[in-house]
Amino acid sequence: MKKKLALLLGGCGMFATVLLAQGDPPSRVARLNYIQGYVSMQPAGIDDWVPAIVNRPFTTGDYLYTDQNSRAELHFGIGTIRMSQYTTIGILNLDDSAAQIELAEGQFNLHVRRMGPGQTLEVDTPNAAISIVQPGDYRIDVNSANNLSFVVVRNGQVDVTGGGQAFTMQSGDAAQLTGTDTLAIDIEGAPTPDSFDNFCIQRDQHEARLPSARYVSEDMIGYEDLDDNGAWQTDATYGAVWHPRAVVADWAPYRNGHWAWIEPWGWTWVDDAPWGFAPFHYGRWVYTGGGWGWSPGPVVVVGAPRPRPYYAPALVAFVGGSGWGVSVGGGASVGWIALGWGEVYRPSYHVSQGYFQNVNVSNTVINKTVNITNVYNVTYINKTTTNITTVNYINMKAPNAVTAMPQQSFASGQPTARAAVSLKSDQVAHIQANQAVLAPNVAPTRTAVAPTYQVKGATPHPPAQLLTRPVVAKATPPPPPVSFQSKQAFLAKNVGQPFNAHQLHQTVRPVAAAQAIVRQAPPAKHVDIKSLPKGNPQTHTAAAPQNAVNTKALQAAQPPNQKPTTLTTKPEVKMAAPQNPATAKAPEARPVPPPSQKPVTVESKLATATTKPEAKMAAPQNQKTQAVEPKPAPKPAEAPVTKPEPTHPAESTRPTPPPPAEKRPEAAPRPESKTTTTHATTTTKKSTTTTKKEEKKEEKEPQ
């Protein structure tokens, strides 16, 4: 089998990198960790849109949409993606060395903390591909109706490729892009941050001073919520242990949430707690001092390089094999238990020996008496049985540690709160060796991929035609995902076996999808934008996402006797190689401008001539996504950072963009937000009344 080196996103730490097979799943995902308003998702292989769920892992083929006055945030290890209202993104590719995002429409903020050797990060719009070259802060807005993209580099560096041309943008640059076959650009200085930018700045500042960074790698996804929801203690055996706050007396890990089918891993745990990501996909749970604690991994000296974290869908052992007599709800059931310190994790999906070793040694210290290579050979190479030879798991002695639920509820991704039970100590004592299994004997249903138990009425989603419009890409993304319907027979046939995504793709070929249409950027000629005339940032007007454009106003905004620079396509010239980001340093925190200033912002620049009343900001879709007051590490030289309030005001520097000219989602209108902004409403009414009085006054005045 062809091999490739496992690329390191951070420091390699004390562990040597092991060769990984080409068919191994990625060791990182994107986590949806913040939702405000109405946010929808379209999982890979599914045509429907369903309400997005906090803590759900996102990967290649997944799409996300934010409705009016809504926001969303995703972490993917080396950076953070934030979306404002009416924004649609798709993950074209996400693996250990590449992240490729499709931005079909809307307002998009990208904060990149660092980039390792060989890392590629690309945002593809209908006009051009934006390749991130250095860590930094980037704002990209797209108006698909008017074929416009607006790129702002706060700090960092990007390469823009499209229309047979390419150019580099540095810190402080901004560019409006129009056209596809022929790319027209308007270069100017970066505008002052607007309300969405300031929201992103405050979130970044809060995450920049988290005490948990002393105990875990900054590439560990989900650690940013630990300090607000628990506390760290030092244990002589396990090292740093995190203990959650505000949990019920009989709480146990992997007890409150649901099982989702997310490929290429298969069965994946999605926890209900606002902090419930890192402790369920990294490290091990230990029962110590009369309560549960989470150990993030091997003990490392503070300040020393840490091993790159390896994501796992659920660090549990399953039970439910031959002779499993536990009945929940009158039928067959599936059980599971959190793995303890030093215990070997046996993935319920096909992996190479290198992956098997890395996912274990990066998350715990394997007992010296265990030969991890022998465990792999017995489990995945010999394949003499899918049963585990021992069920002597240390956490079986802890209260409520073993959870079980009906197979039907498990297969459909139902919440454990509805159907799961904790096994009693006498039931746990009778679990036999042949009852521990590598993979549940359950085939997923459609609702395990796209859960509908939260659906109340129509789910907001972008217009269908928006996802069929091509985006320009520099890197070639993987093929579109296989539809869930076409692979159900394969999943049912191989139930109870380790899920093999590589075999699935060889057996079931993907059908050409309507979405994720990509136009490969042609060979490009590099252009020095310093030689191009700059537009006037005080008068230049571009189109806001999902809004109409006044063409005359756009033309009038150009400086006198000056037209936008048009770059003609010259395919025969190749683009210069991008700079090596290996030595790039992360940028410093961006300052928030004083509220007394009235600067030109991205939003004001993208405003149209038609003014509409300011919209009310929707209430958070899920209260658990509200941020809590930060607790920065004690740093005498630095002042505490003020974190934004859970409900953020609507962007006030521009009118709320109306839906596009085409019909908004075919579904029924979404429910009105329960939270209103009284001040904004009152102001709008006064303004309307004043306008009517002025109109009557004008009618009475003599001509």
Side-chain angles (χ1 to χ4, degrees):
M1 181 180 293
K2 186 178 179 180
K3 303 285 185 178
K4 65 177 182 180
L5 284 175
L7 298 174
L8 294 180
L9 302 185
C12 61
M14 68 178 102
F15 301 112
T17 305
V18 181
L19 289 174
L20 297 184
Q22 196 169 18
D24 281 328
S27 64
R28 68 170 175 174
V29 294
R31 172 210 180 195
L32 178 59
N33 65 290
Y34 180 91
I35 288 177
Q36 180 178 320
Y38 300 89
V39 181
S40 310
M41 65 179 182
Q42 186 185 59
I46 299 292
D47 295 331
D48 301 330
W49 289 82
V50 296
I53 300 174
V54 171
N55 287 331
R56 185 191 189 277
F58 276 67
T59 188
T60 302
D62 292 333
Y63 277 73
L64 193 66
Y65 168 73
T66 52
D67 200 36
Q68 182 180 11
N69 298 325
S70 302
R71 286 171 175 163
E73 179 179 288
L74 299 98
H75 284 74
F76 62 103
I78 64 171
T80 306
I81 294 170
R82 296 185 178 93
M83 305 162 58
S84 188
Q85 62 179 353
Y86 291 136
T87 301
T88 303
I89 69 168
I91 301 180
L92 299 178
N93 189 22
L94 182 60
D95 57 26
D96 290 356
S97 60
Q100 188 173 5
I101 309 298
E102 171 190 354
L103 177 57
E105 177 85 351
Q107 301 172 335
F108 175 95
N109 183 285
L110 178 63
H111 172 67
V112 183
R113 290 186 298 101
R114 64 176 173 219
M115 296 182 66
Q119 280 284 307
T120 61
L121 179 53
E122 178 176 312
V123 181
D124 298 330
T125 76
N127 305 101
I130 296 96
S131 302
I132 310 300
V133 179
Q134 294 180 357
D137 296 283
Y138 308 93
R139 169 76 176 267
I140 306 173
D141 289 8
V142 169
N143 183 306
S144 61
N146 297 281
N147 197 21
L148 293 172
S149 296
F150 191 67
V151 183
V152 179
V153 180
R154 296 293 178 193
N155 45 69
Q157 180 181 328
V158 301
D159 289 334
V160 180
T161 307
Q165 305 291 334
F167 59 93
T168 299
M169 297 176 63
Q170 307 285 353
S171 299
D173 288 340
Q176 177 184 284
L177 314 175
T178 58
T180 50
D181 294 330
T182 300
L183 188 65
I185 63 173
D186 184 9
I187 301 297
E188 59 189 56
T192 303
D194 58 25
S195 58
F196 176 52
D197 291 322
N198 291 337
F199 163 78
C200 299
I201 292 170
Q202 291 173 334
R203 298 281 294 180
D204 289 335
Q205 289 177 339
H206 169 60
E207 295 176 2
R209 299 180 178 90
L210 295 175
S212 289
R214 293 180 292 177
Y215 308 108
V216 302
S217 166
E218 291 184 346
D219 290 333
M220 179 177 287
I221 301 169
Y223 87 92
E224 59 275 356
D225 289 319
L226 298 179
D227 294 302
D228 293 334
N229 297 279
W232 291 92
Q233 295 180 359
T234 301
D235 185 273
T237 302
Y238 312 118
V241 177
W242 179 83
H243 296 270
R245 289 194 297 262
V247 293
V248 296
D250 60 348
W251 182 88
Y254 299 98
R255 180 64 178 81
N256 301 299
H258 71 276
W259 290 96
W261 184 264
I262 301 176
E263 297 178 7
W265 302 272
W267 289 117
T268 301
W269 177 257
V270 181
D271 201 81
D272 288 343
W275 49 265
F277 194 89
F280 299 97
H281 300 290
Y282 307 96
R284 296 288 191 273
W285 281 95
V286 297
Y287 192 79
T288 177
W292 288 98
W294 174 67
S295 170
V299 179
V300 179
V301 178
V302 176
R306 299 180 181 275
R308 176 167 64 91
Y310 257 71
Y311 164 87
L315 292 160
V316 302
F318 288 106
V319 288
S322 176
W324 171 252
V326 176
S327 176
V328 181
S333 65
V334 179
W336 61 90
I337 181 174
L339 291 174
W341 175 264
E343 293 178 335
V344 177
Y345 166 58
R346 298 171 173 86
S348 60
Y349 46 96
H350 183 76
V351 297
S352 69
Q353 182 177 339
Y355 179 98
F356 185 76
Q357 178 167 333
N358 287 337
V359 77
N360 274 286
V361 300
S362 65
N363 285 305
T364 191
V365 175
I366 302 300
N367 294 331
K368 295 180 180 180
T369 58
V370 176
N371 187 320
I372 195 169
T373 301
N374 289 344
V375 175
Y376 174 82
N377 290 336
V378 170
T379 307
Y380 302 97
I381 302 300
N382 298 340
K383 298 181 181 179
T384 54
T385 177
T386 57
N387 290 342
I388 308 302
T389 57
T390 179
V391 288
N392 189 25
Y393 295 108
I394 189 171
N395 283 335
M396 293 176 67
K397 302 175 183 178
N400 306 310
V402 183
T403 305
M405 70 186 304
Q407 286 188 359
Q408 184 176 0
S409 299
F410 186 98
S412 58
Q414 292 295 312
T416 55
R418 295 184 180 181
V421 298
S422 296
L423 298 190
K424 299 179 180 179
S425 57
D426 58 336
Q427 293 175 305
V428 175
H430 286 86
I431 297 178
Q432 303 297 319
N434 61 349
Q435 296 170 358
V437 295
L438 182 62
N441 192 32
V442 178
T445 65
R446 184 183 181 89
T447 54
V449 182
T452 57
Y453 59 84
Q454 287 188 339
V455 175
K456 296 179 181 179
T459 301
H461 58 84
Q465 59 268 33
L466 192 67
L467 299 179
T468 62
R469 186 184 182 196
V471 294
V472 178
K474 186 177 179 181
T476 303
V482 177
S483 70
F484 181 76
Q485 181 179 0
S486 63
K487 59 190 173 188
Q488 281 185 293
F490 175 90
L491 297 175
K493 180 181 178 181
N494 294 277
V495 68
Q497 301 294 325
F499 173 62
N500 192 327
H502 182 67
Q503 183 182 0
L504 169 65
H505 294 153
Q506 289 183 326
T507 305
V508 183
R509 296 294 181 181
V511 180
Q515 64 184 37
I517 299 177
V518 173
R519 289 185 59 176
Q520 206 69 34
K525 175 185 177 181
H526 190 80
V527 175
D528 184 5
I529 61 172
K530 293 181 180 180
S531 62
L532 302 177
K534 289 190 175 183
N536 185 349
Q538 298 296 326
T539 59
H540 168 74
T541 302
Q546 296 284 0
N547 210 342
V549 161
N550 187 323
T551 306
K552 294 182 179 180
L554 183 62
Q555 293 174 348
Q558 301 296 333
N561 302 323
Q562 181 177 320
K563 297 181 179 180
T565 303
T566 301
L567 308 178
T568 56
T569 304
K570 297 182 180 180
E572 69 279 5
V573 183
K574 295 185 178 181
M575 175 186 173
Q579 297 183 12
N580 187 354
T583 59
K585 297 182 179 179
E588 298 179 355
R590 300 162 286 170
V592 182
S596 60
Q597 296 181 3
K598 294 183 179 179
V600 176
T601 65
V602 175
E603 291 174 339
S604 62
K605 291 170 64 58
L606 298 180
T608 62
T610 304
T611 302
K612 302 191 74 175
E614 180 180 352
K616 306 170 187 178
M617 178 60 73
Q621 178 174 327
N622 191 328
Q623 291 299 326
K624 69 185 178 183
T625 64
Q626 297 185 23
V628 297
E629 197 66 23
K631 298 180 179 179
K635 296 182 179 180
E638 298 174 346
V641 179
T642 302
K643 187 178 173 295
E645 295 296 327
T647 302
H648 305 276
E651 284 80 348
S652 58
T653 54
R654 68 170 176 86
T656 301
E662 63 266 26
K663 200 172 182 179
R664 287 298 301 174
E666 295 81 356
R670 63 174 176 81
E672 292 294 332
S673 171
K674 295 182 181 179
T675 303
T676 59
T677 308
T678 306
H679 177 72
T681 305
T682 304
T683 303
T684 302
K685 289 182 179 179
K686 288 183 178 180
S687 177
T688 304
T689 304
T690 304
T691 303
K692 290 182 179 180
K693 289 181 179 180
E694 291 177 353
E695 291 176 354
K696 291 181 180 180
K697 183 178 180 181
E698 291 177 359
E699 291 176 358
K700 294 180 181 181
E701 292 178 355
Q703 299 294 328

